[in-house]
Amino acid sequence: MGLDMPFHGPLDHGELTASHKIFINPSTSEVLCTTVAEALAMGKFVVLPSHPSNDFFEQFPNCLAYTNKEEFVGNLYYAMTHSPEPLTKEYAYALSWQAATERFEAAGSISVAEAEAMKEALTSEDAGVEIGLPPLIKDEVERKKIASSIRLSRLRYRDFRSRLSQEIKNSNVLPKEVQQQLVTELDKRLNLNLEKMLSSPILKLELSPAELDKQLLDFYVEISGAPYGDVLRIIGGGTNVGKQNLYLKQLTREKERGRTNAKTPDFTLPPGLSSS
């Protein structure tokens, strides 16, 4: 930019208390803005861009947020010609680690009702996991042709079931209970969207997400603990992960050998004595 700007090196915050009153942070990529919090806690003006990472700081009177160059110049001029407002106890507490911990707990907490509803949803018999699969038939024309053929076969089969159901109803041979069971089964209808099933099939696992996670974890532990577990680690995590696990196993074996040798000390017989 052709600007002559001297840099004076690092200074302790305490040395800037009386000599400086403005802190400028134009970054829009810094999501852990501890320097902004420190400047506000020291009672300084803070000039920064209006950005999601800065939303928390905009509640403070000494925070001057801008959205364009003109607002930046105006905020900087205001800060240079005014004095920062004293930090109240409420705002000072908002900048403390205690308040930050409370905000973190609130963000990660759910109500008892939400927890119970989630538990019921995950453990119910209807709980499951749906996995989208690639199309069974990619060609749309061919897909419609097959779906139409299957639909026609299903209509014929339904017509057959309806006639058979009517004959069973009119029969006096079968017991009433058996007759009713057969009619109920024959009257069932399976409504499927064949075109949707062929274009975007969905595999549904009749397991709750929690039970699926548990079974997958048990499966991984069982395989990774087997003699060929290093191969799985290399495939999943790369050569470095496999080598690290192999190194840890070697250390364990060396420690076990050391303990075994320590239990069986080597005695040396005095001169002139034999073991016979």
Side-chain angles (χ1 to χ4, degrees), residues 1 49 72 128:
M1 297 175 62
F72 170 79

Side-chain angles (χ1 to χ4, degrees), residues 10-247:
L11 289 174
D12 186 86
H13 291 173
E15 298 181 22
L16 303 175
T17 302
S19 59
H20 294 71
K21 67 172 182 177
I22 304 172
F23 176 76
I24 301 174
N25 182 9
S27 174
T28 56
S29 60
E30 174 59 72
V31 295
L32 188 61
C33 307
T34 52
T35 53
V36 174
E38 290 167 355
L40 289 170
M42 294 172 66
K44 310 296 183 184
F45 277 123
V46 173
V47 182
L48 43 68
S50 181
H51 187 266
S53 62
N54 294 325
D55 284 347
F56 169 74
F57 301 117
E58 293 189 19
Q59 63 178 302
F60 296 88
N62 293 331
C63 178
L64 307 176
Y66 61 87
T67 59
N68 51 51
K69 295 180 180 179
E70 290 74 19
E71 289 185 3
F72 170 79
V73 173
N75 289 348
L76 183 58
Y77 178 79
Y78 177 87
M80 295 175 66
T81 56
H82 292 75
S83 297
E85 293 187 19
L87 196 66
T88 63
K89 290 183 179 180
E90 291 77 9
Y91 285 128
Y93 181 76
L95 293 169
S96 66
W97 280 112
Q98 178 65 30
T101 303
E102 292 174 357
R103 290 193 296 271
F104 179 76
E105 291 176 347
S109 301
I110 60 174
S111 65
V112 175
E114 289 175 317
E116 292 178 350
M118 179 64 70
K119 181 179 179 181
E120 182 180 353
L122 295 178
T123 57
S124 67
E125 295 181 357
D126 297 331
V129 178
E130 293 186 350
I131 304 174
L133 301 175
L136 297 177
I137 302 174
K138 295 183 179 180
D139 185 75
E140 186 177 355
V141 176
E142 187 67 18
R143 187 167 61 241
K144 289 184 177 181
K145 182 179 178 181
I146 293 176
S148 177
S149 176
I150 296 175
R151 191 180 298 108
L152 181 60
S153 299
R154 290 182 65 204
L155 288 175
R156 291 172 179 170
Y157 182 59
R158 280 186 177 181
D159 182 59
F160 165 75
R161 288 167 62 99
S162 297
R163 285 188 281 108
L164 181 59
S165 175
Q166 190 62 38
E167 289 180 6
I168 291 175
K169 287 180 181 178
N170 297 333
S171 173
N172 297 322
V173 178
L174 296 173
K176 288 295 182 182
E177 293 183 1
V178 176
Q179 185 181 39
Q180 185 61 39
Q181 276 187 332
L182 290 173
V183 171
T184 301
E185 291 297 322
L186 289 171
D187 288 345
K188 288 181 178 180
R189 294 290 184 266
L190 182 62
N191 296 317
L192 296 175
N193 188 332
L194 294 174
E195 291 188 17
K196 183 178 180 181
M197 186 177 67
L198 293 174
S199 61
S200 55
I202 296 177
L203 174 65
K204 183 171 183 179
L205 304 178
E206 294 186 354
L207 289 173
S208 68
E211 182 63 25
L212 179 61
D213 287 345
K214 180 180 180 300
Q215 292 193 16
L216 289 174
L217 181 59
D218 293 342
F219 177 68
Y220 174 79
V221 171
E222 181 179 353
I223 292 181
S224 61
Y228 47 81
D230 290 331
V231 178
L232 177 65
R233 292 185 185 89
I234 292 175
I235 295 174
T239 307
N240 292 336
V241 175
K243 288 182 177 179
Q244 181 185 25
N245 187 262
L246 181 61
Y247 172 73

